[in-house]
Amino acid sequence: MPRISTLRITRSHKIATAVLVAAGSVSAIAATGGPSEAQTTATRSSISVEPVAAAGIPTAKDAAAKKAAQETAAKEAAAKKAMAARKATAEKDAAEARSEKQAANRSTERKAVTPKKFANNLDGWIRESLDIMKKKNIPGSYEGLHRNIMRESSGNPNAVNDWDINAQNGIPSKGLLQVIQPTFDAYHVKGTPKKLTDPVANITAAANYAADRYGSIDNVDSAY
């Protein structure tokens, strides 16, 4: 019989065998199950990565949002300020208008309480008549009134003509400007006494009549 040699496996042989087995397993995994480099690169490229702020450092998007919020707040503050200014101006204008109206009312009241005073003489009668004539739009001047008064009555408010045709007809001319009763009644100026010989009533009625017939008492130079 042939002789069979005995193989002795030492510790060194066991370690070497384990290393070879492990290397074979890794190669098999690499050949069959592990992802390729191309696949890994493709996977990475398909994922969008959002920028992440480091702790305490805002991103550009955060900064833009903050700026927009600040601008909006600034616009709202400006709008409120403008509205407040317009309101203050309106209130000031209203207050000034009320003040002016009150002042005007007080002025009117003072004028009503303290009417003009005129002397109780020929100068005063003429000036008072002119004041009334101005308000009633009756033309005439101081000179025109004074000139005709001196010719007609010499400034006597109680003068009476008892000899002319009017006197013969029973309606004598009376007063500063020698007016007959029917003429006085027709041209009497409202606000003056309804008495023919009252100086102011006589002057204003005569001036009113002269304005209607001659355009103005200033145009009268003789009996009228």
Side-chain angles (χ1 to χ4, degrees):
M1 291 181 65
R3 187 179 178 181
I4 299 172
S5 61
T6 302
L7 178 62
R8 292 186 67 188
I9 298 173
T10 66
R11 179 180 176 81
S12 297
H13 294 151
K14 290 180 180 181
I15 293 173
T17 301
V19 171
L20 290 174
V21 172
S25 298
V26 171
S27 297
I29 292 172
T32 59
S36 66
E37 183 178 351
Q39 290 175 328
T40 303
T41 302
T43 302
R44 289 176 180 171
S45 63
S46 65
I47 299 174
S48 60
V49 181
E50 293 290 337
V52 179
I57 303 176
T59 64
K61 185 176 180 180
D62 293 337
K66 183 178 180 181
K67 183 178 180 182
Q70 290 175 341
E71 290 176 350
T72 299
K75 288 179 180 179
E76 291 177 352
K80 289 181 180 179
K81 184 176 180 180
M83 183 179 294
R86 288 193 297 270
K87 183 178 180 181
T89 300
E91 291 176 349
K92 181 180 178 181
D93 293 342
E96 290 178 352
R98 287 194 298 271
S99 178
E100 290 175 0
K101 185 176 181 180
Q102 290 171 354
N105 290 339
R106 287 193 296 270
S107 178
T108 301
E109 290 172 359
R110 284 195 297 270
K111 289 180 181 179
V113 173
T114 56
K116 292 181 180 179
K117 293 184 178 180
F118 300 93
N120 188 28
N121 55 32
L122 182 58
D123 178 73
W125 300 331
I126 293 174
R127 293 186 185 282
E128 185 175 354
S129 297
L130 287 170
D131 186 63
I132 295 171
M133 289 164 60
K134 182 178 180 181
K135 294 175 182 177
K136 302 293 184 178
N137 295 316
I138 300 172
S141 66
Y142 186 100
E143 186 278 330
L145 292 173
H146 187 270
R147 171 166 44 82
N148 282 283
I149 288 170
M150 296 308 294
R151 186 190 66 252
E152 294 290 331
S153 66
S154 299
N156 179 8
N158 296 311
V160 178
N161 184 326
D162 56 4
W163 56 268
D164 66 2
I165 188 63
N166 290 319
Q168 294 174 19
N169 291 330
I171 46 172
S173 303
K174 297 180 180 181
L176 291 172
L177 282 169
Q178 293 293 283
V179 182
I180 61 175
Q181 191 68 49
T183 301
F184 178 82
D185 293 339
Y187 290 93
H188 172 259
V189 176
K190 187 177 181 179
T192 62
K194 290 186 177 181
K195 182 180 179 181
L196 177 58
T197 56
D198 178 86
V200 174
N202 188 277
I203 292 173
T204 54
N208 196 22
Y209 164 74
D212 183 44
R213 186 168 182 181
Y214 304 103
S216 172
I217 190 70
D218 294 351
N219 298 329
V220 177
D221 290 306
S222 60
Y224 62 106

